[in-house]
């Protein structure tokens, strides 16, 4: 029986887009791997596989065989309560069963449990919880939990810095000595001496084979796996210059030595990689900020005693006290007290929200004024903050369609450059213009240097980073503004939409309808018809039904248990109460049951023009009452729709209300078009009709009825205050219920898409222009290496500019 799993693996050692392609290709060779996507920017591999055919160890071996590593966490835990070998065996079995734990070794005599784990799959705190649940105690080492992946990335940057410093220390004197004769520091004759050239070679060797060793290793592993990456170009280019200079040094052939060229190439590229690594770290700052929002401890009330416990140890049902100025530890429901809570770090809305008994509070939000107690309803991975972080990480790991072109080019880029470099050498050697006598440069060395320039000017990295860095910054910025974008494809599509379809109830309006009018049409002038209607509606989950029941409660009208109940989707409900047949529904329901509405025609017209929704009640097939219900427009809906118009977006309101009521609401908020009297099952069909007319459509909704339409749309946006089903069906989720979030999402997408296009244009135009320039001998290798090194830095820096854009 198949068991589909999805894991994210933190990869180390990637240098360019070809690295990502190589890892993907090697992972897909593993049997039972369904999909693999590697993101160069955040250096993660998202893999979906059938666990019945392969496992995590096999996936990691595939990555390591391709020449790359995994940022693994190492844990050494002191277990206090190990009694005997059976305890060791039982605990090892428990730990090995955890997804993400790779190797476990428990020593009974020292009482230490050592293990390796994948930090993107399981955390150290989760491992500790398993140990506690198994009945064992640990000696806590104290301190905060270490971010293993961040440590691995930092170690990589520190190593880059160390190698860069060594490269500079040897390359600068090498450059000065090499050019000293040209600037008159010493005679040109001395520069031709063997001992002088040996000094240059001695300075170049540490740079070539220590600072540049990573490029040799990377090139070997890349070629071994059947591909070619940036390391191949750097190793070829620098080695060609270095190796050619050795026989020249010993007088075996005549010409110039190019030790400074090989050393400067490696040092400049190392500088570019160091700056790139630092810049790439900043693209995930939004996620790091979100992770740092949750407090470390919580004040828990247990048995009337207040105890401070770790947030990781909180359980469902715990009663937690929050004082002014403190953060809410986890999600929950207020039990007592009153306060104002700043939710801006998650929703992007600056105004604090009043909280009192029964209100929901979100973990990581800031309590501003009073104290309150609340019951924990979501802890650990189930909290809103944890889900937001998971959604954003998934989006950052996915690939946007626009990246496909870059991937296709990158796959053939390095081999094509090597071929072009060889053609450059042959062209200059056999067809190049004759050199002037006494120039000291041979036809061979000139052809060689031009070939080296071609090899080191080419930059596949910029192409590989163009899309993922912008996606990472864009999704992170969205998350900190209350806009959660689940996939990079959705982020791309959002920027291309021209039509925004808005569900009415709960999206444009508050979704909290209230009874405004009761029209008694019974001959006895009694309101028993309303009692029967409310009694039936008690069994309905429709918002209009809830409004009717609420009005009955306010009027202290007792409700009766119906003998029968039946719901007719999109029309109304029927049932039997006290021996009477009762029908409660809309105008179409009455028409279907052949119940005349002639005597209330004028009332219908007037109330519908006022934007009220009408519910009719018939007892024993006779119209006995009419209920008018109104739903207030949300604060900000009018302004949000105006902003959509300013962005040249067409707005459409989709509703099940009749045409007059729908037009009344549309008139209040200013939507362009109204599609009314749509049954819930037909909403997706209406979206499809718009798409068939060539429109890219965004659907915004919040209810269960909206789920099919959200899925049908090019991009579905769920209002965060809506149902879980709607949020699961949508590619974009707004944490708050404010329609202005739609504007933020579309604006963010447009900015991100523009940045991606700028990055891709730069990456392609850079290579298209400068590779021919190098081939025609107009670029020396050192300048070529500098340009190559900084092309990636430019792309990453341009993506980081997104952080300064205002989206709301």
């Amino acid at each position: 029986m198949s068991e589909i799993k999805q894991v994210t693996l933190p990869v180390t050692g990637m240098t360019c887009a070809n690295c990502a392609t190589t890892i993907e290709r090697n992972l897909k060779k593993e049997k039972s791997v369904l999909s693999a996507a590697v993101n160069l920017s955040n250096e993660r591999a998202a893999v979906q596989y059938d666990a019945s055919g392969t496992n995590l160890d096999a996936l990691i071996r595939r990555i390591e065989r391709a020449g790359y590593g995994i940022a693994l966490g190492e844990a050494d835990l002191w277990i206090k309560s190990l009694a005997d070998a059976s305890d060791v065996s039982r605990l090892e079995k428990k730990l090995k069963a955890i997804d993400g734990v790779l190797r476990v070794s428990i020593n009974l005599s020292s009482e230490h449990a050592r293990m390796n784990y994948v930090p993107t799959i399981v955390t150290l705190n989760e491992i500790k919880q398993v140990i506690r649940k198994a009945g064992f105690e640990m000696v806590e080492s104290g301190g905060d939990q270490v971010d293993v992946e961040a440590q691995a990335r930092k170690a990589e940057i520190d190593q880059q810095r160390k190698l860069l410093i060594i490269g500079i220390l040897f390359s600068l004197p090498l450059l000065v000595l090499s050019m000293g004769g040209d600037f008159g520091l010493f005679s040109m004759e001395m520069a031709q001496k063997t001992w002088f050239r040996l000094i240059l070679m001695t300075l170049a060797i540490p740079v070539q084979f220590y600072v540049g060793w990573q490029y040799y290793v990377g090139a070997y592993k890349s070629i071994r796996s059947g591909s070619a990456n940036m390391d191949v170009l750097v190793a070829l280019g620098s080695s060609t210059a270095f190796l050619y200079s050795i026989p020249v040094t010993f007088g075996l052939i005549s010409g110039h030595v190019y030790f400074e060229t090989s050393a400067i190439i490696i040092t400049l590229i190392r500088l570019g990689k160091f700056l790139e690594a630092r810049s790439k770290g900043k693209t995930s700052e939004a996620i790091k900020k979100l992770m740092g929002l949750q407090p470390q401890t919580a004040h828990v009330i247990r048995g009337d005693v207040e105890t401070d416990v770790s947030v990781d140890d909180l359980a469902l049902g715990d009663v937690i006290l929050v004082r002014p100025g403190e953060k809410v530890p986890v999600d929950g429901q207020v039990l007592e007290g009153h306060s104002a809570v700043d939710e801006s770090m998650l929703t992007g809305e600056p105004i604090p929200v009043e909280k009192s008994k029964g209100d929901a509070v979100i973990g990581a939000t800031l309590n501003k004024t009073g104290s309150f107690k609340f019951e924990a309803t979501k802890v650990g991975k189930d909290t809103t903050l944890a889900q937001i972080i998971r959604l954003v990480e998934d989006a950052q790991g996915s690939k946007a369609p626009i990246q496909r072109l870059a991937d296709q080019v990158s796959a053939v880029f390095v081999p094509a450059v090597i071929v072009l470099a060889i053609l450059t050498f042959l062209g200059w050697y056999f067809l190049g213009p004759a050199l002037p006598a006494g120039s000291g440069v041979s036809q061979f060395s000139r052809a060689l240097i031009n070939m080296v320039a071609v090899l080191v000017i080419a930059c596949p990295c910029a192409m590989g980073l163009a899309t993922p860095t912008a996606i990472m910054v864009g999704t992170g910025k969205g998350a900190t503004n209350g806009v959660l974008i689940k996939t990079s494809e959705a982020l791309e599509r959002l920027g291309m939409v021209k039509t925004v379809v808005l569900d009415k109830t709960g999206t444009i309006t508050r979704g909290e309808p209230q009874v405004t009018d009761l029209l008694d049409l019974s001959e006895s002038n009694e309101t028993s018809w309303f009692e029967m209607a409310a009694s039936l509606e008690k069994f309905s989950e429709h918002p209009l039904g809830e409004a009717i029941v609420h009005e009955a409660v306010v009027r202290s009208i007792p409700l009766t248990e119906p003998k029968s109940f039946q719901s007719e989707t999109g029309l109304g409900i029927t049932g039997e109460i006290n021996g009477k047949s009762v029908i409660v529904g809309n105008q179409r329901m009455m028409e279907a049951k052949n119940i005349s509405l002639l005597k209330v025609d004028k009332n219908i017209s007037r109330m519908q023009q006022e934007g009220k929704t009408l519910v009719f009640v018939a007892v024993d097939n006779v119209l006995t009452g009419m209920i008018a219900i109104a739903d207030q427009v949300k604060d900000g809906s009018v302004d949000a729709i105006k902003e959509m118009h300013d962005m040249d977006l067409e707005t459409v309101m989709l509703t099940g209300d009749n045409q007059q009521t729908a037009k009344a609401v549309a008139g209040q908020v200013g939507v362009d078009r109204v599609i009314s009297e749509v049954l819930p099952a037909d909403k997706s069909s209406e979206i499809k009709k718009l798409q068939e007319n060539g429109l890219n459509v965004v659907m915004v909704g919040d209810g269960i009825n909206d789920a099919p339409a959200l899925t049908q749309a090019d991009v579905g946006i769920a209002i965060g205050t809506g149902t879980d089903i709607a949020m699961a069906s949508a590619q974009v989720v707004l944490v708050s219920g404010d329609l202005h979030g739609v504007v933020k999402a579309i604006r963010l997408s447009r900015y991100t898409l523009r940045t991606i296009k700028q990055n891709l244009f730069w990456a392609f135009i850079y290579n298209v222009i400068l590779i021919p320039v190098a081939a025609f001998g107009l670029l020396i290798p050192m300048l070529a290496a500098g340009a190559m090194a900084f092309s990636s830095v430019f792309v990453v820096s341009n993506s980081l500019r997104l952080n300064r854009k205002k989206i709301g």
Side-chain angles (χ1 to χ4, degrees), residues 512-516 544 610-613 628-632:
E512 299 170 359
Q514 294 180 325
V515 174
T516 58
L544 298 182
E610 293 170 359
K612 295 174 181 177
T613 300
I629 301 172
D631 188 5
Q632 298 298 312

Side-chain angles (χ1 to χ4, degrees), residues 11-26:
V11 183
T12 59
M14 287 198 292
T15 56
C16 72
N18 293 77
C19 297
T21 306
T22 299
I23 295 170
E24 284 179 5
R25 188 171 60 250
N26 276 273

Side-chain angles (χ1 to χ4, degrees), residues 656-673:
D657 284 347
N658 64 74
Q659 193 171 6
Q660 281 185 302
T661 304
K663 282 188 175 179
V665 175
Q668 291 179 53
V669 297
V671 294
D672 300 312
R673 202 185 338 166

Side-chain angles (χ1 to χ4, degrees), residues 92-164:
E92 278 189 351
K93 189 176 179 182
K94 290 278 186 185
L95 291 172
K96 287 176 179 177
I98 303 171
D99 277 344
V101 173
L102 300 177
R103 286 170 287 279
V104 179
S105 173
I106 302 176
N107 188 306
L108 179 60
S109 58
S110 67
E111 297 184 312
H112 273 258
R114 292 182 174 86
M115 68 203 77
N116 293 107
Y117 62 96
V118 183
T120 49
I121 300 175
V122 64
T123 66
L124 186 56
N125 278 324
E126 288 167 343
I127 294 171
K128 288 179 178 179
Q129 286 173 15
V130 170
I131 294 172
R132 291 191 190 100
K133 285 179 182 177
F136 299 96
E137 295 179 21
M138 286 172 294
V139 177
E140 294 290 346
S141 58
D144 296 333
Q145 183 179 347
V146 175
D147 186 338
V148 176
E149 191 179 358
Q151 271 194 340
R153 305 299 182 208
K154 183 179 181 299
E156 229 175 328
I157 292 173
D158 290 343
Q159 176 68 1
Q160 293 271 22
R161 183 188 291 109
K162 173 188 167 186
L163 293 173
L164 173 62

Side-chain angles (χ1 to χ4, degrees), residues 586-602:
N586 57 23
Q587 198 165 340
R588 281 175 295 165
M589 179 72 147
M590 296 299 118
E591 290 169 359
K593 300 294 183 182
N594 295 316
I595 296 170
S596 174
L597 301 177
L598 285 175
K599 58 182 175 180
V600 288
D601 265 355
K602 289 183 179 178

